[in-house]
Amino acid sequence: MHIDGEIKKAGEARLSVFDHGFMYGLGLFETFRVYNGHPFLLDAHMERLEAGAEELGIVFHYERKTVEAEIRQLLRANGLQNAYVRYNVSAGPGDLGIQTTPYLEPVIVIYMKPLPAAGTEPVQKDALWLQLRRNSPEGRERMKSHHYMNNWLARQEIKDQPEAEGIFINDKGFAAEGIVSNIFWRRGNTLYTPAVDTGILNGITRQFVIQLAHENDYIVEEGYFLPQDIKAAEEMFVTNSIQEIAAVRALGDYCFPSHSAARLLHSRYQKEREKQ
């Protein structure tokens, strides 16, 4: 891994027990894929990270050349061309107690693990409704932060089905998102996806897929939808930066008869993976 400018073996990396990312969850991260040495949608991921850090009072400034150099260095150290990357910014050490002044010395950790070369067809998976409700965001909008208890508890709920994606409903009863994904479904030429105001993470892949959908003449409606709205759909798919676009075979006992939008959007996604 890469920690504060140095390559370290995983067992040799060290963080202070006074790091407020550890003590109070004051940290943010982005996960993205590297395809043949190219970090996909890097600017979008890192600009979101920078904006979140500013909201948390963590002084972090994104410089593309620096981040690209760090990733290349870590790819070489691990002998990889295709990889999963987690770029993590933690607040850094502080005194006991909640701090109101800016964090001037954040700790940057880049994690990396190998991934196989990306496929030419979307992954297919099953989904099911979670009993656990999606918690409300800690601030005005959900950030990709160290606050992951809700997701962890959700994964425990479906641990006997490790390949399935659990789908959250929020506290008002609206469909929200997956444990590690955003959700879409299609009726006719319209794609539906929950609005960011439902408390979901505004995923970078979600945003990119909405862009691709518009470019391919789909209507996209973001809004407040009940679980039964999805049962009227012809197809469903989920998105995240590692799985890309995954077609959903079934949600609970309801099977989707089509994967046409998922296949089309995935084919367009493929063409962009080493460009953006």
Side-chain angles (χ1 to χ4, degrees), residues 49-193:
L49 183 59
E50 184 178 49
E54 182 178 5
E55 190 167 341
L56 294 181
I58 299 172
V59 178
F60 169 76
H61 300 294
Y62 166 52
E63 294 180 358
R64 184 181 177 99
K65 288 183 179 179
T66 300
V67 173
E68 285 182 323
E70 292 169 338
I71 291 169
R72 283 196 302 270
Q73 185 182 12
L74 198 51
L75 286 168
R76 284 195 301 270
N78 287 285
L80 300 176
Q81 280 293 303
N82 297 286
Y84 168 116
V85 177
R86 171 172 164 148
Y87 195 105
N88 198 98
V89 177
S90 187
D95 294 332
L96 285 172
I98 295 174
Q99 182 172 316
T100 57
T101 55
Y103 290 92
L104 303 178
E105 298 181 350
V107 177
I108 297 172
V109 182
I110 310 173
Y111 304 83
M112 184 176 285
K113 67 179 181 181
L115 284 177
T120 58
E121 290 288 324
V123 172
Q124 294 193 25
K125 64 191 320 173
D126 295 322
L128 48 93
W129 292 109
L130 294 162
Q131 296 299 310
L132 180 71
R133 293 298 175 106
R134 190 59 167 130
N135 63 342
S136 298
E138 290 80 20
R140 58 180 180 80
E141 189 173 305
R142 189 174 302 279
M143 291 187 272
K144 201 171 180 73
S145 75
H146 289 187
H147 247 293
Y148 242 57
M149 183 64 74
N150 196 223
N151 304 64
W152 185 88
L153 289 169
R155 179 54 67 193
Q156 305 318 300
E157 183 180 321
I158 61 167
K159 62 185 177 183
D160 60 334
Q161 299 182 64
E163 299 304 316
E165 176 63 313
I167 307 298
F168 281 111
I169 297 169
N170 73 7
D171 59 352
K172 295 180 174 61
F174 295 114
E177 61 186 343
I179 299 173
V180 293
S181 66
N182 291 118
I183 62 176
F184 291 81
W185 58 97
R186 180 185 61 80
R187 290 203 306 269
N189 202 44
T190 302
L191 293 178
Y192 299 87
T193 189

Side-chain angles (χ1 to χ4, degrees), residues 251-268:
L251 176 57
D253 58 3
Y254 180 77
C255 296
F256 296 97
S258 173
H259 304 306
S260 60
R263 287 197 176 98
L264 174 63
L265 294 171
H266 189 269
S267 71
R268 301 296 186 267

Side-chain angles (χ1 to χ4, degrees), residues 30-44:
E30 292 289 331
T31 53
F32 51 88
R33 285 185 75 143
V34 173
Y35 298 89
N36 290 322
H38 175 71
F40 186 46
L41 297 175
L42 180 63
D43 288 341

